[in-house]
């Protein structure tokens, strides 16, 4: 079955006016989704998995992560900030949770909900799910949307292994929607705003993989809010407003979004892998059956999971440490007989009825053609071309690797003469003039890069 | 289409390289993922056999529209009794190899399970040739 190619929503956008066409992003992209054309980086929508590696690598901040306009929150009488625990974990110890909550309320939110409360609904469901899916072991967590998309495009045979249960964020959104609907608010009066640590979550909300529509109303980038809250606290210029007290979270819930947060809960043999390049290496081995048996794989695109999200302002290791300290404090409270406050459990049966997601479909970017005979012809051409390419992966052709240029050429998206080595050869054989070579390079890199900026004749 | 990979005996860190390479090619050719899995698992077992037992070996892969043919030939001790070697659990692997998690005696049986045709020729003291054929679609 061949699915019609549909464009995917991406949170990552390249600002053409800022991009200097430097190849940093192209070189780090794990799915080879970036090419340089006319001096600018261009993102391929079907290949990008919104991991954000390009965002980290860009030296001139030309890559942005789109978010909703903050003032959008004021269109709703109920304005809930759906906050992951890493948000508070970023702030130094000298800033109290009350101060942070006070700032959030001061900015205009009417309610604050820590997303990890919903882990109480999800955590109990994973082990029974694994029992029911013994034929698709290891079950791979669907928590990180960048990983789900990575599997779709690069490891299509493994889509069967993806856990088809909603992530904590979605469960938290459904719960809050239900809670306020029960209080008599209409759907268009309830604004649920997710404070996101990464681009992948935004993409997952705007075009969910297994669900038709997300219950989250809008997304606010965590670094934007961090700056607003931090400067608010530093300037101390707002009137203090009534602050909701932070509800008591269990240690397991506090640590859920960090590395090993999920795998520690899974029974049987489980393992946690973080960092998208590590995940790729691991999934490659999994496909070869070059691994011992596992029941559950927790895979996160970012190093140190959500604490290392691209929109996290604080240091990831300090954030992890603070959350561990918070979890330890929570564990001590439990020993003293204090129970975590889990209001969400009152809606357990409703939430469980909505916890499943539809099957995830593969959409391979690896195949050269749907038809195998055609693919074989193309592969022959790719290998033939590769024999003429220098294999230095310099990126001067505008593709990340010699192999990707060869594929681009065979797919009709590039010309072999984009390779600077091929150009020299063609010039030597008098097939190409110097001017023709220059024109090819200008098409890739733009006119500007070839201007003589010193305004003098260079003497070589 | 013909591809060739060479294998060094004793180099466990690189065992699986040829299978990974072939897997990439088969994915590019849009071969059914279940078939890819069978081919790759069978080849991986063969690769590990060469690494664990032989001095060196060569893997020749021929991809045709209707089948994938893999020939693993090695210079090594050979298999004195092929019938016995085909039994699940039978292993001549050294203690050192077993400690590394290999040598459970499932190599050849697993290859048989994952290939449509398996042919083994061996000359004790000289080497072994294993031929695997997997029919596509």
């Amino acid at each position: 079955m061949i699915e019609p190619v549909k464009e995917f929503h991406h949170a990552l956008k390249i600002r053409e006016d800022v991009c200097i066409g430097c190849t940093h992003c192209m070189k780090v992209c794990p799915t080879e989704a970036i090419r340089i054309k006319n001096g600018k980086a261009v993102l391929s929508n079907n290949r990008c998995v919104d991991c954000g590696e390009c965002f980290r690598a860009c030296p001139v901040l030309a890559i942005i992560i789109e978010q909703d306009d903050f003032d959008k929150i004021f269109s709703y009488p109920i304005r809930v900030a759906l906050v992951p625990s890493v948000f508070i974990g970023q702030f130094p110890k000298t800033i109290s949770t009350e101060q942070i909550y006070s700032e959030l309320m001061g900015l205009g939110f009417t309610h604050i909900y820590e997303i990890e409360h919903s882990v109480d609904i999800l955590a109990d469901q994973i082990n029974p799910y694994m029992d029911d899916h013994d034929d698709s072991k290891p079950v791979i967590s669907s928590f990180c949307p960048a990983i789900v998309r990575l599997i779709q495009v690069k490891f299509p045979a493994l889509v069967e292994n993806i856990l088809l249960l909603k992530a904590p964020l979605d469960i938290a959104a459904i719960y809050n929607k239900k809670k306020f609907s029960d209080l008599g608010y209409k759907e268009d009066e309830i604004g649920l705003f997710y404070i996101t640590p990464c681009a992948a979550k935004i993409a997952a909300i705007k075009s969910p993989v297994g669900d038709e529509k997300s219950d989250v109303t809008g997304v606010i980038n965590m670094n934007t809010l961090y700056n607003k809250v931090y400067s608010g606290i530093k300037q101390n210029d707002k009137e203090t407003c009534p602050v909701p007290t932070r509800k008591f979270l269990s240690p397991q819930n506090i640590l859920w979004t960090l590395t090993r947060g999920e795998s520690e809960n899974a029974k049987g043999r489980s393992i946690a892998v973080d960092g998208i390049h590590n995940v790729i290496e691991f999934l490659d081995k999994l496909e070869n059956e070059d691994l011992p048996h596992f029941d559950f794989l927790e895979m996160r695109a970012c190093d140190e999971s959500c604490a290392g999200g691209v929109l996290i302002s604080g240091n990831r290791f300090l954030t992890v440490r603070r959350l561990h300290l918070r979890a330890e404090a929570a564990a001590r409270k439990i020993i003293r007989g204090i129970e975590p406050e889990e209001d969400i459990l009152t809606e357990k049966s409703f939430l469980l009825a909505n916890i499943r997601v539809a099957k995830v479909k593969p959409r391979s970017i690896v195949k050269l053609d749907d038809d195998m005979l055609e693919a074989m012809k193309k592969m022959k051409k790719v290998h033939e071309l590769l024999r003429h390419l220098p294999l230095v992966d310099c990126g001067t052709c505008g593709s990340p690797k010699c192999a990707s240029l060869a594929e681009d050429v065979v797919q009709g998206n590039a010309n072999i003469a984009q390779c600077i080595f091929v150009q020299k050869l063609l010039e030597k054989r008098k097939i190409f003039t110097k001017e023709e070579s220059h024109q090819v390079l200008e098409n890739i890199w733009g006119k500007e890069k070839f201007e003589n900026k010193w305004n003098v004749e260079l003497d070589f | 289409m013909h591809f060739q990979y060479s294998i060094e005996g004793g180099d466990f860190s690189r065992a699986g390289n040829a299978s990974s390479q072939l897997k990439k090619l088969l994915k590019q050719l849009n071969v059914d993922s279940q078939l890819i899995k069978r081919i790759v698992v069978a080849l991986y077992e063969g690769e590990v056999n060469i690494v664990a037992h032989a001095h060196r070996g060569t893997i020749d892969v021929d991809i045709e529209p209707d089948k994938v043919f893999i020939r693993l030939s090695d210079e090594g001790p050979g298999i004195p009794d092929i019938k016995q070697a085909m039994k699940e659990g039978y292993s001549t692997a050294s203690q050192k190899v077993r400690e590394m998690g290999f040598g459970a005696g499932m190599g050849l049986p697993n290859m048989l399970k994952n290939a449509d045709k398996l042919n083994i020729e061996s000359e004790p003291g000289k080497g072994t040739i294993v031929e695997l054929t997997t029919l596509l679609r």
Side-chain angles (χ1 to χ4, degrees):
Chain A
M1 261 281 287
I2 296 145
E3 289 290 313
V5 179
K6 103 174 184 224
E7 291 278 305
F8 291 86
H9 181 94
H10 294 292
L12 292 160
K13 303 271 184 255
I14 298 167
R15 283 188 59 184
E16 229 184 78
D17 55 332
V18 183
C19 176
I20 54 167
C22 66
T23 78
H24 283 64
C25 57
M26 182 172 86
K27 300 243 153 172
V28 297
C29 176
T31 58
E32 292 170 15
I34 297 172
R35 300 289 182 274
I36 310 287
K37 281 177 187 145
N38 203 17
K40 307 289 170 190
V42 181
L43 194 64
S44 155
N45 279 342
N46 286 323
R47 298 185 79 99
C48 172
V49 297
D50 286 283
C51 69
E53 290 298 309
C54 54
F55 177 88
R56 287 185 218 272
C58 182
V60 293
L61 309 179
I63 296 175
I64 51 163
I65 296 176
E66 63 160 16
Q67 60 181 323
D68 288 297
D69 181 16
F70 190 83
D71 287 337
K72 189 180 162 188
I73 72 166
F74 296 106
S75 322
Y76 301 85
I78 297 291
R79 305 183 282 275
V80 186
L82 297 173
V83 184
S85 61
V86 286
F87 178 67
I88 291 156
Q90 295 174 89
F91 288 92
K93 219 175 147 188
T94 48
I95 294 171
S96 69
T97 309
E98 288 67 36
Q99 280 176 294
I100 299 166
Y101 272 33
S102 166
E103 285 300 325
L104 287 175
M105 299 299 279
L107 285 167
F109 290 106
T110 57
H111 299 80
I112 300 166
Y113 190 81
E114 256 194 302
I115 290 159
E116 283 78 6
H117 285 286
S118 66
V119 169
D120 281 302
I121 302 292
L122 175 66
D124 292 347
Q125 299 306 307
I126 295 176
N127 288 328
Y129 179 99
M130 289 205 290
D131 291 338
D132 291 347
H133 292 78
D134 211 29
D135 49 340
S136 45
K137 291 279 183 69
V139 167
I140 303 174
S141 166
S142 56
F143 175 87
C144 176
I147 298 301
V148 172
R149 286 172 184 227
L150 176 76
I151 291 172
Q152 283 184 291
V153 301
K154 233 177 145 119
F155 300 93
L158 296 174
V159 292
E160 307 283 330
N161 298 57
I162 296 172
L163 175 77
L164 297 177
L165 298 178
K166 287 200 168 92
L169 164 65
D170 303 297
I171 300 169
I174 298 172
Y175 168 66
N176 276 278
K177 202 168 165 188
K178 171 91 166 51
K179 188 171 86 182
F180 290 104
S181 311
D182 289 351
L183 288 171
Y185 291 96
K186 291 195 213 77
E187 194 167 321
D188 59 4
E189 291 176 326
I190 309 165
L192 306 175
F193 292 89
Y194 175 49
I195 315 306
T196 183
C198 69
K201 288 275 187 195
I202 304 179
I205 288 165
K206 304 281 176 182
S207 60
V209 168
D211 275 317
E212 294 100 49
K213 200 181 167 291
S214 167
D215 287 294
V216 176
T217 318
V219 192
I220 293 154
N221 289 354
M222 199 175 276
N223 58 352
T224 306
L225 203 64
Y226 178 88
N227 289 341
K228 279 183 196 280
V229 168
Y230 206 30
S231 54
I233 291 169
K234 288 281 159 207
Q235 288 155 11
N236 198 18
D237 58 354
K238 278 194 198 68
E239 282 181 38
T240 42
C241 40
V243 179
T245 47
R246 181 165 80 179
K247 294 235 159 80
F248 178 31
L249 266 181
S250 72
Q252 182 195 36
N253 294 17
I254 292 168
L255 301 177
W256 193 260
T257 62
L258 301 185
T259 304
R260 287 185 295 283
E262 291 171 279
S263 66
E264 304 253 292
N265 162 74
K267 68 173 188 192
R269 285 173 59 90
S270 66
I271 197 165
V273 182
D274 61 5
I276 194 157
H277 292 283
N278 298 332
V279 169
I280 290 172
E281 190 189 321
F282 201 87
L283 291 178
D284 198 47
K285 278 185 172 292
L286 178 67
E287 269 192 336
N288 292 4
E289 298 198 357
D290 177 12
L291 286 174
H293 172 81
F294 282 107
D295 296 295
F296 184 81
L297 302 183
E298 171 195 311
M299 317 213 106
R300 309 279 179 81
C302 295
D303 186 5
E304 296 294 332
S305 294
C306 296
V310 293
L311 294 171
I312 295 272
S313 308
N315 177 280
R316 67 186 60 170
F317 300 105
L318 294 180
T319 304
V320 169
R321 184 170 182 273
R322 287 189 199 110
L323 288 174
H324 275 283
L325 291 174
R326 183 177 162 196
E328 283 164 24
R332 284 195 296 273
K333 263 172 116 171
I334 290 172
I335 290 169
R336 291 205 306 272
I338 305 166
E339 289 284 317
E341 297 167 77
E342 302 303 4
D343 309 350
I344 194 167
L345 291 176
T346 56
E347 296 293 349
K348 189 169 181 174
S349 54
F350 174 78
L351 294 168
L352 288 184
N354 289 291
I355 201 165
R356 290 280 181 145
V357 288
K359 255 190 149 161
V360 179
K361 294 198 179 89
R363 46 183 188 90
S364 169
I365 52 166
V366 191
K367 63 185 175 195
L368 292 169
D369 203 287
D370 287 325
D371 176 64
M372 194 188 152
L373 283 179
E374 207 46 48
M376 281 184 88
K377 276 187 211 159
K378 287 183 178 175
M379 184 181 279
K380 273 187 194 146
K381 282 187 202 159
V382 168
H383 287 272
E384 181 62 28
L385 287 175
L386 270 174
R387 296 199 313 153
H388 299 285
L389 293 173
L391 303 180
V392 292
D393 295 338
C394 65
T396 313
C397 62
S399 292
K401 288 175 180 157
C402 293
S404 39
L405 174 66
E407 276 177 42
D408 288 351
V409 171
V410 169
Q411 300 291 21
N413 299 323
N415 189 314
I416 189 71
Q418 283 174 226
C419 172
I420 197 156
F421 290 79
V422 172
Q423 281 169 29
K424 293 290 157 208
L425 203 73
L426 294 175
E427 280 176 29
K428 201 171 154 193
R429 291 190 190 163
K430 311 250 184 268
I431 300 169
F432 249 39
T433 62
K434 281 208 158 48
E435 286 67 34
E436 280 173 308
S437 292
H438 184 84
Q439 192 52 52
V440 173
L441 284 179
E442 244 185 38
N443 289 344
I444 306 165
W445 295 101
K447 273 198 164 57
E448 227 178 86
K449 279 204 166 55
F450 297 94
E451 279 165 10
N452 183 351
K453 287 164 188 147
W454 295 280
N455 253 343
V456 288
E457 283 305 308
L458 293 175
D459 181 22
F460 287 117
Chain B
M1 253 181 300
H2 181 87
F3 298 92
Q4 194 176 64
Y5 309 96
S6 52
I7 310 283
E8 224 23 71
D11 190 357
F12 282 93
S13 61
R14 289 177 57 83
N17 248 27
S19 346
S20 278
Q21 299 283 336
L22 180 61
K23 181 177 69 184
K24 205 179 151 205
L25 295 172
L26 295 172
K27 275 183 173 184
Q28 287 183 312
L29 293 176
N30 202 24
V31 172
D32 175 78
S33 54
Q34 290 308 314
L35 280 175
I36 296 182
K37 202 170 172 184
R38 280 165 59 86
I39 297 166
V40 167
V41 169
L43 175 57
Y44 178 70
E45 294 289 1
E47 256 189 285
V48 171
N49 276 349
I50 296 177
V51 172
H53 299 287
H55 310 303
R56 67 190 65 80
T58 309
I59 297 173
D60 286 281
V61 180
D62 281 291
I63 307 175
E64 284 167 48
D66 58 339
K67 64 171 187 279
V68 174
F69 175 79
I70 302 171
R71 183 186 157 100
L72 304 109
S73 46
D74 70 49
E75 293 167 37
I79 307 170
D81 186 345
I82 294 176
K83 225 174 164 182
Q84 196 177 22
M86 290 303 294
K87 280 192 196 138
E88 290 192 7
Y90 178 80
S91 175
T92 57
S94 66
Q95 190 57 33
K96 200 178 125 201
V97 168
R98 285 165 197 254
E99 276 166 13
M100 294 167 95
F102 301 96
M106 294 304 289
L108 288 175
N110 219 356
M111 284 163 88
L112 182 66
K113 212 167 25 179
N114 283 292
D116 290 309
K117 214 173 125 193
L118 178 71
N119 187 34
I120 307 175
E121 278 171 43
S122 187
E123 200 177 321
K126 278 198 135 171
T128 304
I129 296 172
V130 177
E131 292 176 337
L132 291 159
T133 310
T134 309
L135 302 175
L136 300 179
R137 77 189 89 198

